[in-house]
Amino acid sequence: MKKHSKKSNYEIIKDKKRFKIFHKNVYSRLIINFLFIAIQIFLLAFFIFRLEKYLEVYFGISLTLTAGFMIFIINKKGRNEFKLAWIVPMIFVPLFSIAAYLMYHTNRGSHRHSKRLALLREQTEILLPANIPSSLREQKELIREFSKNRSADLIYYLTNNFFFPYKNCNTTYYPNGETFFPALIEEIENAQKFIFLEFFIIDVDSSWNEILSALQERQKNRVEIRILCDGLGSPVASTSFYQKYLKSKGFDSRVFLPIIPIVSTHLNNRDHRKIVIIDGKTAFTGGLNLANEYFNRGKNRFPYWKDNAVKIQGIAVHTFMQLFLQNWNLYSKTPEDFSPYLTALSAQLDLDPQQSPSASQDFNSQQIPGTQQELAPKQALPAHPGITIPYGDDFFNNKDIAENIYFYIINNAKKYLNITTPYILIDNLLQEALFFAAARGVEVSIIVPSVPDHLLTFCIGKTYLESFVDNGIKVYLYNKGFIHSKMFIADDHIATIGSVNLDYRSLYHHFENGVVFLDSPVVHDAKADFDETLKDCTHMQKGDYKKIPLYQRALGRLFRIFAPLF
């Protein structure tokens, strides 16, 4: 059996390149769009050369459909950038542009999934601490406790969206994958009850095999293990073959939105989160996925991968538990009983089980179980400075929580604003907010890659950087390799770190997560990491954009209008 397992892993790794090419090309939205355009060009040529007498009919139908669809798009609720990205191709290739639009926006399961997620949010409220407020009045009382904090209004906003502020959380910042990986292995090896993994990318390589080995050791001690990967981001790990392999080893493994040829049209709304939860007392998150590349192990496409992560220990892990279990059960047909995790969570908080929320409470109740009870700690919790607020965002909530947090940090920065992001594809509102921050005297500094990860995304992003430099924003190009960390830091007071890129996918389509830190040691550690990273960067000057190869500038200008579709 052991020999067979090794052979299976070897075969999967050997075929990895083929799987990646298949997913990146066959399922690429860009390829599909170009295919539609090519078909329409062929159809137009067919009418011109073979059915000339019906050419007027063809153009009449096209014009009518184009006019009608433009009226629909213009009056539809949403950002103008998204509308423009569809209107332009409709002018030239209307029939198949409309078909492409319908393919991406007609998801029969969307309404069902939205309702399911809303129900799961109610059901997983049982995992919140019993003294978390459920009514607006109780929320205001909680805010009053944090009213001395200069970001009390942000706390109020997140509290109203059921992402609560927590004190006395032990937090650790990891400036790269090399420091994160051994910490992750150590926590896995110390797990006693359960380990939950949720990642956009799980690559079947030597790093994953080491993690898998550590998980198997804990499994011998009856530690529950759940693995959730994305169907598009993990092209090998999400295959039915590998899922069967994991289940044969006793792991509970699921794929978020598996990709099925031809049938799958939902290429958006991916699970881009990066979450590890251990025993309900420790959580990891950040920009790091599970692959050799992220830990700078072995031979990779970049000489160095710069990323970051954070570890949170304490009561804030409740929010991570909710986020994980919501996605875990989003596409499940059978309801799950979340009550077994109450004892574990209460134990980690050192709370009296007699005062923990009742496991028999109705999961569909809008009232959070146990909110009228007061939980008395057996002993004082250790004092850790700062406030920790984990949060999540997704397509179905229609609230743009991650973007609003970015807006808040930008608009409230007084002295400096430091940003790291691998991609820049943003709407005009976010761009103007950055311009205004620089115009009112805030030192705005952004670190981005100097080399492409995805060529078109890179070329489009360069057009934004030219505007940034022209408007007083300091742009730094990371030269050591590729920078993938996503963080905002301002005024030695606030920082947010997580999975959210500065692009349309992360801000509007994907399932994302992050953590807001207020007056926390993480803020200072992240700032120190930013300053250290600057040593490996080149400061972009006015005129540098013109030094970029002509074909990259042309691609960026040509496709920028379609940025919301990437």
Side-chain angles (χ1 to χ4, degrees):
M1 182 68 179
K2 189 174 182 181
K3 184 177 179 180
H4 174 72
S5 300
K6 287 185 177 180
K7 183 178 179 181
S8 298
N9 272 308
Y10 172 75
E11 289 175 349
I12 293 168
I13 294 169
K14 186 175 66 174
D15 291 340
K16 189 187 333 181
K17 185 176 181 181
R18 175 175 60 84
F19 275 107
K20 284 187 175 180
I21 292 172
F22 186 67
H23 275 255
K24 287 185 177 181
N25 292 283
V26 175
Y27 294 132
S28 169
R29 287 171 294 179
L30 186 61
I31 295 296
I32 294 173
N33 281 333
F34 277 127
L35 181 62
F36 275 127
I37 293 172
I39 292 173
Q40 181 152 348
I41 291 173
F42 173 79
L43 186 60
L44 179 58
F46 179 77
F47 269 99
I48 291 174
F49 295 109
R50 293 298 183 95
L51 300 173
E52 185 177 353
K53 61 181 180 179
Y54 297 110
L55 195 59
E56 291 183 3
V57 176
Y58 170 80
F59 279 116
I61 294 174
S62 296
L63 183 61
T64 302
L65 287 174
T66 301
F69 221 76
M70 280 187 177
I71 293 171
F72 167 76
I73 289 288
I74 290 170
N75 287 279
K76 192 175 185 296
K77 182 181 178 181
R79 285 173 168 76
N80 290 331
E81 289 86 355
F82 285 91
K83 297 177 181 179
L84 194 60
W86 285 108
I87 286 175
V88 170
M90 283 179 192
I91 295 173
F92 299 101
V93 281
L95 298 181
F96 287 94
S97 294
I98 292 171
Y101 180 91
L102 293 175
M103 184 183 74
Y104 290 122
H105 290 82
T106 304
N107 184 351
R108 289 182 298 173
S110 181
H111 181 64
R112 183 175 70 252
H113 296 155
S114 180
K115 290 179 63 176
R116 172 69 174 160
L117 190 58
L119 177 63
L120 283 167
R121 288 193 181 106
E122 292 181 4
Q123 293 174 346
T124 54
E125 286 171 3
I126 193 174
L127 300 175
L128 286 170
N131 56 353
I132 287 297
S134 60
S135 69
L136 184 60
R137 178 186 60 79
E138 290 171 322
Q139 289 173 12
K140 288 180 178 178
E141 290 176 359
L142 177 67
I143 294 301
R144 200 169 292 123
E145 179 186 352
F146 296 94
S147 61
K148 293 181 181 179
N149 191 286
R150 55 193 278 193
S151 295
D153 47 351
L154 177 62
I155 296 173
Y156 184 83
Y157 167 74
L158 291 172
T159 299
N160 281 337
N161 284 285
F162 272 70
F163 296 117
F164 297 99
Y166 300 104
K167 291 182 177 180
N168 294 321
C169 291
N170 188 15
T171 56
T172 307
Y173 179 80
Y174 300 97
N176 49 50
E178 303 94 295
T179 55
F180 165 78
F181 189 80
L184 173 63
I185 295 296
E186 181 181 3
E187 290 293 340
I188 289 175
E189 291 174 343
N190 292 327
Q192 299 298 318
K193 294 182 174 64
F194 56 85
I195 301 170
F196 296 162
L197 302 174
E198 178 180 0
F199 282 89
F200 179 62
I201 296 174
I202 294 179
D203 216 351
V204 182
D205 55 21
S206 61
S207 294
W208 173 243
N209 285 338
E210 188 172 338
I211 293 171
L212 209 57
S213 177
L215 293 173
Q216 287 177 305
E217 286 299 316
R218 298 319 302 150
Q219 193 179 53
K220 294 175 182 177
N221 291 278
R222 298 187 177 182
V223 173
E224 178 192 1
I225 296 167
R226 300 190 188 190
I227 302 168
L228 180 63
C229 68
D230 185 79
L232 187 66
S234 304
V236 179
S238 65
T239 60
S240 58
F241 175 82
Y242 195 73
Q243 287 296 305
K244 289 177 182 177
Y245 168 77
L246 290 176
K247 290 172 183 176
S248 72
K249 294 296 182 182
F251 299 123
D252 197 353
S253 181
R254 292 183 183 177
V255 177
F256 189 92
L257 280 180
I259 297 295
I260 304 172
I262 302 176
V263 176
S264 294
T265 59
H266 43 257
L267 300 183
N268 284 326
N269 315 138
R270 309 312 310 183
D271 184 1
H272 195 245
R273 293 173 179 170
K274 295 99 166 115
I275 295 175
V276 179
I277 304 166
I278 297 173
D279 292 344
K281 68 175 182 178
T282 299
F284 292 93
T285 193
L288 290 158
N289 286 295
L290 300 184
N292 280 344
E293 185 173 45
Y294 293 84
F295 310 129
N296 293 301
R297 295 173 139 207
K299 185 178 180 181
N300 300 301
R301 53 181 170 161
F302 299 107
Y304 188 78
W305 189 277
K306 177 70 178 78
D307 221 318
N308 65 356
V310 289
K311 179 172 72 174
I312 294 95
Q313 294 175 302
I315 193 171
V317 178
H318 283 77
T319 301
F320 289 101
M321 288 284 292
Q322 283 186 290
L323 293 174
F324 176 86
L325 289 170
Q326 286 165 13
N327 271 7
W328 178 265
N329 288 277
L330 181 56
Y331 301 102
S332 175
K333 295 181 181 179
T334 56
E336 179 173 359
D337 180 7
F338 301 117
S339 60
Y341 300 103
L342 292 174
T343 304
L345 290 170
S346 298
Q348 304 311 328
L349 295 172
D350 201 18
L351 302 174
D352 186 350
Q354 297 289 333
Q355 295 177 320
S356 62
S358 171
S360 63
Q361 292 281 353
D362 180 7
F363 286 171
N364 295 321
S365 173
Q366 294 184 358
Q367 173 77 15
I368 298 178
T371 50
Q372 303 303 319
Q373 303 172 14
E374 293 184 2
L375 295 178
K378 294 179 182 178
Q379 59 187 23
L381 292 171
H384 297 287
I387 298 170
T388 304
I389 316 176
Y391 64 89
D393 200 2
D394 60 78
F395 169 78
F396 298 110
N397 63 27
N398 295 314
K399 293 183 178 181
D400 300 334
I401 290 171
E403 186 184 38
N404 287 336
I405 291 170
Y406 283 169
F407 268 123
Y408 180 88
I409 297 175
I410 294 169
N411 293 331
N412 286 275
K414 305 298 182 186
K415 297 178 181 179
Y416 74 84
L417 170 63
N418 293 343
I419 301 170
T420 64
T421 179
Y423 314 115
I424 297 279
L425 286 86
I426 55 177
D427 62 20
N428 288 331
L429 290 175
L430 201 51
Q431 185 175 230
E432 290 298 324
L434 289 167
F435 292 168
F436 181 54
R440 57 189 172 82
V442 178
E443 185 179 299
V444 182
S445 302
I446 299 179
I447 300 178
V448 295
S450 63
V451 292
D453 178 24
H454 305 290
L455 181 60
L456 277 180
T457 303
F458 177 79
C459 294
I460 296 169
K462 286 289 187 181
T463 66
Y464 287 94
L465 298 184
E466 181 189 28
S467 302
F468 286 178
V469 173
D470 291 341
N471 284 273
I473 295 174
K474 295 182 179 180
V475 175
Y476 295 93
L477 306 177
Y478 185 70
N479 296 319
K480 190 177 178 180
F482 188 80
I483 186 164
H484 189 254
S485 60
K486 314 99 167 34
M487 65 179 180
F488 274 52
I489 316 161
D491 299 342
D492 295 334
H493 161 65
I494 184 172
T496 182
I497 296 168
S499 66
V500 188
N501 293 315
L502 273 178
D503 64 12
Y504 288 95
R505 286 192 190 186
S506 278
L507 295 173
Y508 308 120
H509 296 307
H510 287 171
F511 285 76
E512 304 280 359
N513 77 284
V515 187
V516 172
F517 298 96
L518 301 172
D519 301 318
S520 165
V522 168
V523 179
H524 302 286
D525 293 341
K527 170 62 175 171
D529 181 34
F530 185 92
D531 293 339
E532 185 67 23
T533 305
L534 286 177
K535 297 177 182 178
D536 296 313
C537 297
T538 299
H539 188 189
M540 186 174 177
Q541 305 292 334
K542 286 187 177 182
D544 283 355
Y545 179 75
K546 295 180 180 179
K547 300 176 184 178
I548 297 172
L550 179 61
Y551 81 94
Q552 291 188 6
R553 283 182 281 154
L555 285 173
R557 296 297 185 191
L558 178 63
F559 286 97
R560 177 164 170 168
I561 193 171
F562 303 110
L565 307 182
F566 282 87

